[in-house]
Amino acid sequence: MKVEDILRKKGTRIGMVRINETVATALRLMKAENTGALVVKDVCRTEGNTVVGVISERDVVRALVDRGPGILEQAVSALMTRDPYCCNPSDSVRHVLSLMDEHGIRHVPVLEGTTLVGVVSVRDLIRRQLEDLPVDNQSAGELPIAASAAESWDFPVVANQ
């Protein structure tokens, strides 16, 4: 399976923020887009719209812990990951999963040449994997296997110990 297959199913909407916007603005955009990261764009006359980085919830949380709430008024450029790992539409899903695993990231911009055509997230990949799995033969009233197995245990099980 290729990245382009994921994008075709997902659609072309890309959450983006400009490099000079505040971190608070980026967080509002993440909430509105229901995403954990935004592509950071630099809009300049000579280069056009250029992808310069990615800012994620993780970047913000770490900065809040390290530097305090003042970071919310700083520019996105202060926290973003510059030169993010990217992929091409023709790359395999396995390649993107390897990038995510190796570098501890959950969002990968998709570039066709220098043009941003999408973002693939770990959520997109999980969703696609779920679509490929066979449907469970479980009826609405039937207990999941783990629950029915737990009923056969002969010792008490206490949750949240």
Side-chain angles (χ1 to χ4, degrees):
M1 179 183 313
K2 303 283 185 198
V3 170
E4 60 197 359
D5 300 323
I6 301 290
L7 292 179
R8 194 174 307 113
K9 189 117 181 166
K10 175 185 178 174
T12 57
R13 186 152 179 84
I14 304 170
M16 293 182 280
V17 65
R18 289 186 178 166
I19 194 169
N20 292 324
E21 293 290 342
T22 65
V23 171
T25 298
L27 288 172
R28 282 192 290 279
L29 288 168
M30 283 185 221
K31 181 180 177 187
E33 295 289 332
N34 191 31
T35 188
L38 298 170
V39 173
V40 181
K41 305 267 300 212
D42 186 12
V43 181
C44 55
R45 291 187 184 130
T46 58
E47 297 178 26
N49 286 341
T50 306
V51 175
V52 292
V54 171
I55 186 165
S56 69
E57 293 167 332
R58 184 181 293 172
D59 296 328
V60 176
V61 168
R62 288 178 178 173
L64 278 168
V65 170
D66 291 344
R67 298 185 242 165
I71 61 103
L72 296 174
E73 297 310 314
Q74 291 183 348
V76 165
S77 59
L79 302 185
M80 71 180 192
T81 300
R82 295 180 184 276
D83 301 318
Y85 293 98
C86 298
C87 68
N88 298 306
S90 60
D91 286 341
S92 70
V93 168
R94 178 177 287 283
H95 171 71
V96 175
L97 284 168
S98 294
L99 276 177
M100 290 176 169
D101 181 47
E102 183 178 342
H103 302 289
I105 57 177
R106 294 178 292 205
H107 298 82
V108 178
V110 183
L111 299 175
E112 199 161 39
T114 59
T115 303
L116 179 68
V117 295
V119 174
V120 177
S121 71
V122 72
R123 185 187 325 167
D124 299 328
L125 301 177
I126 290 170
R127 202 173 278 143
R128 184 57 191 244
Q129 288 294 318
L130 286 172
E131 290 171 2
D132 290 346
L133 289 174
V135 177
D136 291 339
N137 292 329
Q138 207 173 298
S139 65
E142 193 175 323
L143 291 174
I145 293 171
S148 57
E151 289 176 349
S152 67
W153 293 344
D154 59 355
F155 56 90
V157 177
V158 180
N160 299 327
Q161 295 182 7

